[in-house]
mmCIF file with all atom_site columns, all heavy atoms in Angstrom:
data_model
loop_
_atom_site.group_PDB
_atom_site.id
_atom_site.type_symbol
_atom_site.label_atom_id
_atom_site.label_alt_id
_atom_site.label_comp_id
_atom_site.label_asym_id
_atom_site.label_entity_id
_atom_site.label_seq_id
_atom_site.pdbx_PDB_ins_code
_atom_site.Cartn_x
_atom_site.Cartn_y
_atom_site.Cartn_z
_atom_site.occupancy
_atom_site.B_iso_or_equiv
_atom_site.pdbx_formal_charge
_atom_site.auth_seq_id
_atom_site.auth_comp_id
_atom_site.auth_asym_id
_atom_site.auth_atom_id
_atom_site.pdbx_PDB_model_num
ATOM 1   N N   . GLU A 1 185 ? -56.501 -79.777 31.089 1.00 95.00 ? 185 GLU A N   1
ATOM 2   C CA  . GLU A 1 185 ? -57.526 -80.823 31.128 1.00 95.00 ? 185 GLU A CA  1
ATOM 3   C C   . GLU A 1 185 ? -58.809 -80.246 31.721 1.00 95.00 ? 185 GLU A C   1
ATOM 4   O O   . GLU A 1 185 ? -58.807 -79.684 32.819 1.00 95.00 ? 185 GLU A O   1
ATOM 5   C CB  . GLU A 1 185 ? -57.060 -82.016 31.956 1.00 95.00 ? 185 GLU A CB  1
ATOM 6   C CG  . GLU A 1 185 ? -58.089 -83.136 32.002 1.00 95.00 ? 185 GLU A CG  1
ATOM 7   C CD  . GLU A 1 185 ? -57.590 -84.359 32.748 1.00 95.00 ? 185 GLU A CD  1
ATOM 8   O OE1 . GLU A 1 185 ? -56.376 -84.634 32.692 1.00 95.00 ? 185 GLU A OE1 1
ATOM 9   O OE2 . GLU A 1 185 ? -58.410 -85.040 33.403 1.00 95.00 ? 185 GLU A OE2 1
ATOM 10  N N   . VAL A 1 186 ? -59.904 -80.414 30.994 1.00 96.00 ? 186 VAL A N   1
ATOM 11  C CA  . VAL A 1 186 ? -61.194 -79.838 31.370 1.00 96.00 ? 186 VAL A CA  1
ATOM 12  C C   . VAL A 1 186 ? -62.033 -80.875 32.105 1.00 96.00 ? 186 VAL A C   1
ATOM 13  O O   . VAL A 1 186 ? -62.073 -82.042 31.727 1.00 96.00 ? 186 VAL A O   1
ATOM 14  C CB  . VAL A 1 186 ? -61.948 -79.344 30.121 1.00 96.00 ? 186 VAL A CB  1
ATOM 15  C CG1 . VAL A 1 186 ? -63.348 -78.867 30.490 1.00 96.00 ? 186 VAL A CG1 1
ATOM 16  C CG2 . VAL A 1 186 ? -61.169 -78.230 29.434 1.00 96.00 ? 186 VAL A CG2 1
ATOM 17  N N   . SER A 1 187 ? -62.708 -80.448 33.155 1.00 97.00 ? 187 SER A N   1
ATOM 18  C CA  . SER A 1 187 ? -63.687 -81.296 33.833 1.00 97.00 ? 187 SER A CA  1
ATOM 19  C C   . SER A 1 187 ? -65.072 -80.688 33.651 1.00 97.00 ? 187 SER A C   1
ATOM 20  O O   . SER A 1 187 ? -65.253 -79.480 33.788 1.00 97.00 ? 187 SER A O   1
ATOM 21  C CB  . SER A 1 187 ? -63.383 -81.411 35.331 1.00 97.00 ? 187 SER A CB  1
ATOM 22  O OG  . SER A 1 187 ? -64.453 -82.052 36.008 1.00 97.00 ? 187 SER A OG  1
ATOM 23  N N   . ARG A 1 188 ? -66.039 -81.549 33.375 1.00 96.00 ? 188 ARG A N   1
ATOM 24  C CA  . ARG A 1 188 ? -67.418 -81.088 33.259 1.00 96.00 ? 188 ARG A CA  1
ATOM 25  C C   . ARG A 1 188 ? -68.195 -81.340 34.544 1.00 96.00 ? 188 ARG A C   1
ATOM 26  O O   . ARG A 1 188 ? -69.425 -81.439 34.523 1.00 96.00 ? 188 ARG A O   1
ATOM 27  C CB  . ARG A 1 188 ? -68.099 -81.768 32.069 1.00 96.00 ? 188 ARG A CB  1
ATOM 28  C CG  . ARG A 1 188 ? -67.590 -81.273 30.727 1.00 96.00 ? 188 ARG A CG  1
ATOM 29  C CD  . ARG A 1 188 ? -67.973 -79.840 30.444 1.00 96.00 ? 188 ARG A CD  1
ATOM 30  N NE  . ARG A 1 188 ? -69.406 -79.679 30.190 1.00 96.00 ? 188 ARG A NE  1
ATOM 31  C CZ  . ARG A 1 188 ? -69.983 -78.522 29.847 1.00 96.00 ? 188 ARG A CZ  1
ATOM 32  N NH1 . ARG A 1 188 ? -69.254 -77.420 29.742 1.00 96.00 ? 188 ARG A NH1 1
ATOM 33  N NH2 . ARG A 1 188 ? -71.278 -78.462 29.628 1.00 96.00 ? 188 ARG A NH2 1
ATOM 34  N N   . CYS A 1 189 ? -67.487 -81.445 35.644 1.00 98.00 ? 189 CYS A N   1
ATOM 35  C CA  . CYS A 1 189 ? -68.112 -81.394 36.966 1.00 98.00 ? 189 CYS A CA  1
ATOM 36  C C   . CYS A 1 189 ? -67.935 -79.964 37.454 1.00 98.00 ? 189 CYS A C   1
ATOM 37  O O   . CYS A 1 189 ? -66.814 -79.522 37.735 1.00 98.00 ? 189 CYS A O   1
ATOM 38  C CB  . CYS A 1 189 ? -67.447 -82.384 37.915 1.00 98.00 ? 189 CYS A CB  1
ATOM 39  S SG  . CYS A 1 189 ? -68.098 -82.338 39.604 1.00 98.00 ? 189 CYS A SG  1
ATOM 40  N N   . MET A 1 190 ? -69.027 -79.228 37.524 1.00 98.00 ? 190 MET A N   1
ATOM 41  C CA  . MET A 1 190 ? -68.963 -77.789 37.810 1.00 98.00 ? 190 MET A CA  1
ATOM 42  C C   . MET A 1 190 ? -68.426 -77.520 39.212 1.00 98.00 ? 190 MET A C   1
ATOM 43  O O   . MET A 1 190 ? -68.821 -78.178 40.174 1.00 98.00 ? 190 MET A O   1
ATOM 44  C CB  . MET A 1 190 ? -70.355 -77.176 37.660 1.00 98.00 ? 190 MET A CB  1
ATOM 45  C CG  . MET A 1 190 ? -70.385 -75.652 37.741 1.00 98.00 ? 190 MET A CG  1
ATOM 46  S SD  . MET A 1 190 ? -72.086 -74.989 37.688 1.00 98.00 ? 190 MET A SD  1
ATOM 47  C CE  . MET A 1 190 ? -72.616 -75.536 36.057 1.00 98.00 ? 190 MET A CE  1
ATOM 48  N N   . GLN A 1 191 ? -67.547 -76.555 39.305 1.00 98.00 ? 191 GLN A N   1
ATOM 49  C CA  . GLN A 1 191 ? -67.080 -76.088 40.603 1.00 98.00 ? 191 GLN A CA  1
ATOM 50  C C   . GLN A 1 191 ? -68.010 -74.998 41.143 1.00 98.00 ? 191 GLN A C   1
ATOM 51  O O   . GLN A 1 191 ? -68.314 -74.030 40.448 1.00 98.00 ? 191 GLN A O   1
ATOM 52  C CB  . GLN A 1 191 ? -65.662 -75.530 40.506 1.00 98.00 ? 191 GLN A CB  1
ATOM 53  C CG  . GLN A 1 191 ? -64.574 -76.581 40.513 1.00 98.00 ? 191 GLN A CG  1
ATOM 54  C CD  . GLN A 1 191 ? -64.473 -77.272 41.866 1.00 98.00 ? 191 GLN A CD  1
ATOM 55  O OE1 . GLN A 1 191 ? -64.434 -76.628 42.917 1.00 98.00 ? 191 GLN A OE1 1
ATOM 56  N NE2 . GLN A 1 191 ? -64.421 -78.595 41.844 1.00 98.00 ? 191 GLN A NE2 1
ATOM 57  N N   . LEU A 1 192 ? -68.471 -75.196 42.385 1.00 98.00 ? 192 LEU A N   1
ATOM 58  C CA  . LEU A 1 192 ? -69.199 -74.154 43.115 1.00 98.00 ? 192 LEU A CA  1
ATOM 59  C C   . LEU A 1 192 ? -68.256 -73.669 44.206 1.00 98.00 ? 192 LEU A C   1
ATOM 60  O O   . LEU A 1 192 ? -68.267 -74.180 45.331 1.00 98.00 ? 192 LEU A O   1
ATOM 61  C CB  . LEU A 1 192 ? -70.496 -74.722 43.709 1.00 98.00 ? 192 LEU A CB  1
ATOM 62  C CG  . LEU A 1 192 ? -71.481 -75.322 42.708 1.00 98.00 ? 192 LEU A CG  1
ATOM 63  C CD1 . LEU A 1 192 ? -72.737 -75.805 43.438 1.00 98.00 ? 192 LEU A CD1 1
ATOM 64  C CD2 . LEU A 1 192 ? -71.866 -74.316 41.628 1.00 98.00 ? 192 LEU A CD2 1
ATOM 65  N N   . PRO A 1 193 ? -67.400 -72.705 43.892 1.00 98.00 ? 193 PRO A N   1
ATOM 66  C CA  . PRO A 1 193 ? -66.358 -72.314 44.837 1.00 98.00 ? 193 PRO A CA  1
ATOM 67  C C   . PRO A 1 193 ? -66.919 -71.540 46.027 1.00 98.00 ? 193 PRO A C   1
ATOM 68  O O   . PRO A 1 193 ? -67.974 -70.898 45.938 1.00 98.00 ? 193 PRO A O   1
ATOM 69  C CB  . PRO A 1 193 ? -65.442 -71.418 43.994 1.00 98.00 ? 193 PRO A CB  1
ATOM 70  C CG  . PRO A 1 193 ? -66.361 -70.812 42.976 1.00 98.00 ? 193 PRO A CG  1
ATOM 71  C CD  . PRO A 1 193 ? -67.360 -71.904 42.654 1.00 98.00 ? 193 PRO A CD  1
ATOM 72  N N   . VAL A 1 194 ? -66.206 -71.602 47.130 1.00 98.00 ? 194 VAL A N   1
ATOM 73  C CA  . VAL A 1 194 ? -66.530 -70.781 48.292 1.00 98.00 ? 194 VAL A CA  1
ATOM 74  C C   . VAL A 1 194 ? -66.192 -69.338 47.937 1.00 98.00 ? 194 VAL A C   1
ATOM 75  O O   . VAL A 1 194 ? -65.051 -69.029 47.569 1.00 98.00 ? 194 VAL A O   1
ATOM 76  C CB  . VAL A 1 194 ? -65.747 -71.247 49.524 1.00 98.00 ? 194 VAL A CB  1
ATOM 77  C CG1 . VAL A 1 194 ? -65.974 -70.295 50.700 1.00 98.00 ? 194 VAL A CG1 1
ATOM 78  C CG2 . VAL A 1 194 ? -66.137 -72.666 49.891 1.00 98.00 ? 194 VAL A CG2 1
ATOM 79  N N   . THR A 1 195 ? -67.183 -68.462 48.044 1.00 98.00 ? 195 THR A N   1
ATOM 80  C CA  . THR A 1 195 ? -66.999 -67.070 47.605 1.00 98.00 ? 195 THR A CA  1
ATOM 81  C C   . THR A 1 195 ? -66.842 -66.087 48.756 1.00 98.00 ? 195 THR A C   1
ATOM 82  O O   . THR A 1 195 ? -66.476 -64.931 48.522 1.00 98.00 ? 195 THR A O   1
ATOM 83  C CB  . THR A 1 195 ? -68.200 -66.630 46.748 1.00 98.00 ? 195 THR A CB  1
ATOM 84  O OG1 . THR A 1 195 ? -69.388 -66.655 47.559 1.00 98.00 ? 195 THR A OG1 1
ATOM 85  C CG2 . THR A 1 195 ? -68.390 -67.542 45.543 1.00 98.00 ? 195 THR A CG2 1
ATOM 86  N N   . LEU A 1 196 ? -67.137 -66.530 49.978 1.00 98.00 ? 196 LEU A N   1
ATOM 87  C CA  . LEU A 1 196 ? -67.122 -65.616 51.122 1.00 98.00 ? 196 LEU A CA  1
ATOM 88  C C   . LEU A 1 196 ? -66.086 -66.068 52.152 1.00 98.00 ? 196 LEU A C   1
ATOM 89  O O   . LEU A 1 196 ? -65.815 -67.260 52.279 1.00 98.00 ? 196 LEU A O   1
ATOM 90  C CB  . LEU A 1 196 ? -68.503 -65.579 51.784 1.00 98.00 ? 196 LEU A CB  1
ATOM 91  C CG  . LEU A 1 196 ? -69.642 -65.031 50.932 1.00 98.00 ? 196 LEU A CG  1
ATOM 92  C CD1 . LEU A 1 196 ? -70.984 -65.313 51.599 1.00 98.00 ? 196 LEU A CD1 1
ATOM 93  C CD2 . LEU A 1 196 ? -69.464 -63.539 50.685 1.00 98.00 ? 196 LEU A CD2 1
ATOM 94  N N   . PRO A 1 197 ? -65.513 -65.142 52.910 1.00 97.00 ? 197 PRO A N   1
ATOM 95  C CA  . PRO A 1 197 ? -64.614 -65.545 53.998 1.00 97.00 ? 197 PRO A CA  1
ATOM 96  C C   . PRO A 1 197 ? -65.386 -66.265 55.096 1.00 97.00 ? 197 PRO A C   1
ATOM 97  O O   . PRO A 1 197 ? -66.576 -66.016 55.301 1.00 97.00 ? 197 PRO A O   1
ATOM 98  C CB  . PRO A 1 197 ? -64.044 -64.218 54.495 1.00 97.00 ? 197 PRO A CB  1
ATOM 99  C CG  . PRO A 1 197 ? -65.060 -63.194 54.103 1.00 97.00 ? 197 PRO A CG  1
ATOM 100 C CD  . PRO A 1 197 ? -65.660 -63.678 52.818 1.00 97.00 ? 197 PRO A CD  1
ATOM 101 N N   . MET A 1 198 ? -64.690 -67.174 55.792 1.00 97.00 ? 198 MET A N   1
ATOM 102 C CA  . MET A 1 198 ? -65.291 -67.875 56.921 1.00 97.00 ? 198 MET A CA  1
ATOM 103 C C   . MET A 1 198 ? -65.130 -67.038 58.187 1.00 97.00 ? 198 MET A C   1
ATOM 104 O O   . MET A 1 198 ? -64.230 -66.191 58.279 1.00 97.00 ? 198 MET A O   1
ATOM 105 C CB  . MET A 1 198 ? -64.618 -69.237 57.102 1.00 97.00 ? 198 MET A CB  1
ATOM 106 C CG  . MET A 1 198 ? -64.805 -70.161 55.919 1.00 97.00 ? 198 MET A CG  1
ATOM 107 S SD  . MET A 1 198 ? -63.823 -71.679 56.032 1.00 97.00 ? 198 MET A SD  1
ATOM 108 C CE  . MET A 1 198 ? -64.616 -72.501 57.427 1.00 97.00 ? 198 MET A CE  1
ATOM 109 N N   . LEU A 1 199 ? -65.971 -67.290 59.175 1.00 96.00 ? 199 LEU A N   1
ATOM 110 C CA  . LEU A 1 199 ? -65.855 -66.555 60.434 1.00 96.00 ? 199 LEU A CA  1
ATOM 111 C C   . LEU A 1 199 ? -64.466 -66.697 61.043 1.00 96.00 ? 199 LEU A C   1
ATOM 112 O O   . LEU A 1 199 ? -63.895 -65.731 61.542 1.00 96.00 ? 199 LEU A O   1
ATOM 113 C CB  . LEU A 1 199 ? -66.907 -67.052 61.433 1.00 96.00 ? 199 LEU A CB  1
ATOM 114 C CG  . LEU A 1 199 ? -68.346 -66.613 61.187 1.00 96.00 ? 199 LEU A CG  1
ATOM 115 C CD1 . LEU A 1 199 ? -69.296 -67.379 62.110 1.00 96.00 ? 199 LEU A CD1 1
ATOM 116 C CD2 . LEU A 1 199 ? -68.517 -65.112 61.389 1.00 96.00 ? 199 LEU A CD2 1
#
Side-chain angles (χ1 to χ4, degrees):
E185 181 176 327
V186 174
S187 171
R188 289 292 290 184
C189 177
M190 188 185 297
Q191 279 292 312
L192 301 182
V194 174
T195 63
L196 296 169
M198 297 172 67
L199 285 170

